Amino acid sequence: MKRTVKIISVLMAATILLCSCSKSDTDAVGKEYMLVTGKSGGVYNSLGISMAGVWDKYLGSNTNVISTTGSIQNIEMLIKGDADFGFVQSDILYYAQNGKEMYEENKQKGISVVANLYSEAVQIIVNAGTDIQTVSDLLGKTVAVGKYGTATEAAAHQILEAYGITYDMITVKYQTFSEASESLASGGVDAIFAVSALPSSNISIYAETHSIRFLPVSTSGSGAKLRKSCPFFTDGVIKSEAYGTENSVATVCIDVMLVCRSDLSSDAVYGVVSSLFNNLDELSAAHSKGAEINADTSKATKVGSMHAGAKKYYNGLSATGEE
């Protein structure tokens, strides 16, 4: 099956060229911003509201925070010029800029990195009583990989292949977590892939009535191919206290990034970045994820190019030794 999603048609591209003046640097410097996030009430959306509140307070800007379906829609809106800033998972940005997975043969340009914010963990869930111990043990099993064309499904596809398992070697179920958890409980699937910040409320709810384990994933050892094929993955841990499991388990993580249109002025992006990092105490008070954000990790991106305005701020910290 051809793995592609046509995000921008020829007609759409023509529209971008004709309307490129609608979101000019003048608009951005004038502090009228559009921030695209995630589903209403989700972490991306609520964090976006908190972040926009901080930078509007200190910049005197007016930011419209928009709920979306997530990274793929956000990239589309940024490229079209319908948004200035947005939240994007690092893997989706990598696929977009390199023409892979859902962007096969459809490379996207025009997006720059502002900051790495926090990490989301890949979680491969099995029932505690199963004899499945490793990713390799999924060979021949029935696996829920997420809805087709989503970030979760792309991560599942890449991880399975790194461990030598292609989709034709398992029975693939393209299910939401809600659908997959019902299947796992009834024995309809053997494992579920999920990607979220820790702990996931959905997994926590399932773990209240079912004993679960997580399969270990790493960019070394059996999963060493991940390091080359997916440079956005970082090593992490699902600690036992996250879900009350018996043991902590190694996994891989994906960064959640704040990105922007590349054509925004350096002054505009510098202002947003400085207002955030100079007032992290207020962001932390407004949203729990604010406590996980800091300038040192925010500049350490493995995907994409840093916007000149963000780079100016981070370089200034290095010069003054304030990292």
Side-chain angles (χ1 to χ4, degrees), residues 6 21 63 75 88 93 102 105 135 152 211 221 240 242 244 264 319:
K6 294 185 178 178
C21 294
T63 303
I75 286 175
V88 174
L93 182 60
M102 66 286 291
E105 300 178 3
V135 176
T152 297
S211 295
S240 58
L264 287 183

Side-chain angles (χ1 to χ4, degrees), residues 131-164:
D131 59 356
I132 300 171
Q133 301 294 328
T134 68
V135 176
S136 299
D137 292 338
L138 294 176
L139 180 66
K141 304 297 185 181
T142 301
V143 183
V145 297
K147 297 297 286 184
Y148 181 77
T150 61
T152 297
E153 191 265 325
H157 178 248
Q158 293 288 348
I159 289 170
L160 287 167
E161 286 204 341
Y163 281 81

Side-chain angles (χ1 to χ4, degrees), residues 35-48:
L35 170 63
V36 286
T37 56
K39 66 180 180 180
S40 179
V43 175
Y44 290 8
N45 187 242
S46 58
L47 177 60

